[in-house]
Amino acid sequence: MKAVVKTAPGEGALALLDWPEPMPEPHQVKLRIGAAGICGTDLHIIRGTWPSRPPVVLGHEFCGTVVEVGAAVRNLTLGDRVVGSNPASTCGNCRHCRSGNDFMCAERVSAGYHIDGAFAEYLCVDARRCHRLPDHVTFRQAALGEPLAVAVHAVIERTSVHAGDLVLVSGPGCVGLLTLQVAKLEGARVVVAGLARDRHRLECARRLGADAVVDVERENVIEVVRELSRGEGADVVYECSGSAASLAACWQAVRKEGTLAPLGIYGGPIETDFNQITLKELRVIGSYGYVWSSWRRAVQLLAEGSVRTSELVSHEFPLDRFEEAFAVTQDGRAVKVVLLP
């Protein structure tokens, strides 16, 4: 089969190769990949700023059709359409696994950087990590199921957003635009901020219901937030860009006794004004990944059409155009790029 492979450590080293077709273990199903989204983590891997174990097939946001079923699988059958979640495997015994938070397991192994992922024609995955899709939910919609679960976990399960709250989403990438939508469902007013190069993403945010969008290179996001909050600041701020400059603005934008949730992944250690936590008595809550209930909610939102994911897909490419797909992901032309193996 064809697959997009990170062939060596460091920057670059990406190639479309003939790769061994996987065979399912007893607890796994084999999927024919219908769609796979390019994530910011994939870009970090390509730049060499995120740990991976090359040679490895990239891709951890995926959906597809079950074409083979392991001997021990009982919950899925041939032809089922599913969306899959990471991690690929965990120890199952630590406090995090037992409490349902697989992402915190010290022995976590993730598809797409530790073991082969979804930028390929086929992928074998633990059947327990697959979520059956309703017939009317398309692969184009479901390709964003994983970042939607991330947004659900952040807004509904890790933080508290209430009707009438003012929320700032800093960074209009895929997770930021999904965070916007989930916060709106909770009844919040939402401001989305980005750079000039994010013009298409900011326009998308406006279409998706943002109460205000801010190009921070032309407007002062702090002033916009204060105007909308009668001078107090945002009740909840989600930093979704993974930028130190964005985080610095978030410290200023959040109100006293408010909540700041960093969702973006930074390229390495950063300097920031940590004193703001003490001086403003802030709640700073990390949110990384999702749990089972995040997926239950995410699939329900997809089924209801409450969250518009397909509108975020600005580009679709076959595997053999992966270089173009990554280029438009990085240069600001895209909102979300999906590969179609």
Side-chain angles (χ1 to χ4, degrees), residues 79-234:
D80 281 347
R81 299 167 63 256
V82 301
V83 59
S85 66
N86 248 335
S89 67
T90 57
C91 75
N93 295 312
C94 69
R95 63 185 296 169
H96 307 295
C97 288
R98 289 179 178 271
S99 65
N101 195 350
D102 292 352
F103 268 88
M104 297 297 105
C105 177
E107 297 181 28
R108 172 173 61 92
V109 174
S110 292
Y113 36 105
H114 295 139
I115 62 173
D116 286 347
F119 292 167
E121 296 176 72
Y122 297 96
L123 172 68
C124 289
V125 61
D126 191 319
R128 294 169 297 180
R129 304 187 188 280
C130 292
H131 310 269
R132 191 179 286 108
L133 291 169
D135 291 341
H136 65 277
V137 175
T138 67
F139 283 151
R140 179 185 174 94
Q141 294 169 305
L144 276 69
E146 202 258 10
L148 176 56
V150 169
V152 165
H153 186 55
V155 176
I156 298 177
E157 297 169 339
R158 292 293 293 157
T159 61
S160 297
V161 173
H162 303 289
D165 278 353
L166 181 66
V167 168
L168 170 64
V169 175
S170 184
C174 181
V175 169
L177 293 172
L178 292 167
T179 299
L180 151 69
Q181 295 186 70
V182 178
K184 290 292 293 184
L185 289 175
E186 294 296 289
R189 297 171 296 144
V190 183
V191 178
V192 179
L195 302 172
R197 70 171 189 165
D198 295 321
R199 177 174 58 87
H200 298 301
R201 297 175 178 183
L202 292 173
E203 290 172 356
C204 185
R206 196 185 302 278
R207 292 194 302 271
L208 292 170
D211 296 272
V213 297
V214 181
D215 174 350
V216 299
E217 296 178 69
R218 300 181 62 181
E219 298 179 81
N220 188 320
V221 67
I222 309 303
E223 291 179 0
V224 172
V225 167
R226 286 176 180 164
E227 181 179 347
L228 293 172
S229 62
R230 299 179 181 178
E232 290 190 355

Side-chain angles (χ1 to χ4, degrees), residues 299-320:
V299 172
Q300 183 62 32
L301 292 176
L302 287 172
E304 296 171 353
S306 302
V307 172
R308 292 145 60 186
T309 55
S310 62
E311 293 183 35
L312 275 64
V313 180
S314 58
H315 296 74
E316 295 175 308
F317 294 96
L319 283 184
D320 59 7

Side-chain angles (χ1 to χ4, degrees), residues 258-332:
T259 299
L260 193 153
L263 306 187
I265 300 296
Y266 303 91
I270 62 171
E271 292 187 10
T272 193
D273 188 4
F274 211 69
N275 281 334
Q276 293 299 315
I277 301 172
T278 303
L279 297 175
K280 298 173 80 169
E281 291 200 352
L282 300 176
R283 289 176 292 276
V284 177
I285 300 174
S287 186
Y288 180 58
Y290 36 73
V291 294
W292 178 86
S293 58
S294 318
W295 274 101
R296 180 178 61 82
R297 291 184 168 107
V299 172
Q300 183 62 32
L301 292 176
L302 287 172
E304 296 171 353
S306 302
V307 172
R308 292 145 60 186
T309 55
S310 62
E311 293 183 35
L312 275 64
V313 180
S314 58
H315 296 74
E316 295 175 308
F317 294 96
L319 283 184
D320 59 7
R321 293 174 62 191
F322 75 93
E323 291 177 320
E324 185 180 353
F326 280 108
V328 300
T329 299
Q330 296 182 78
D331 67 12

Side-chain angles (χ1 to χ4, degrees), residues 2-3 6 9 14 18 32 54 56-57 59 86 99 122-123 134 150 181 209 243 249 261 267 310:
K2 295 294 185 180
K6 174 76 171 175
L14 206 62
D18 289 314
R32 182 174 65 245
V56 65
V57 179
N86 248 335
S99 65
Y122 297 96
L123 172 68
V150 169
Q181 295 186 70
S243 158
S310 62

Side-chain angles (χ1 to χ4, degrees), residues 4-15 17 19 44-58 113:
V4 178
V5 181
K6 174 76 171 175
T7 59
E11 188 170 359
L14 206 62
L17 301 177
W19 205 247
H44 282 298
I45 294 171
I46 294 170
R47 295 167 186 151
T49 57
W50 187 265
S52 64
R53 300 174 184 170
V56 65
V57 179
L58 299 190
Y113 36 105

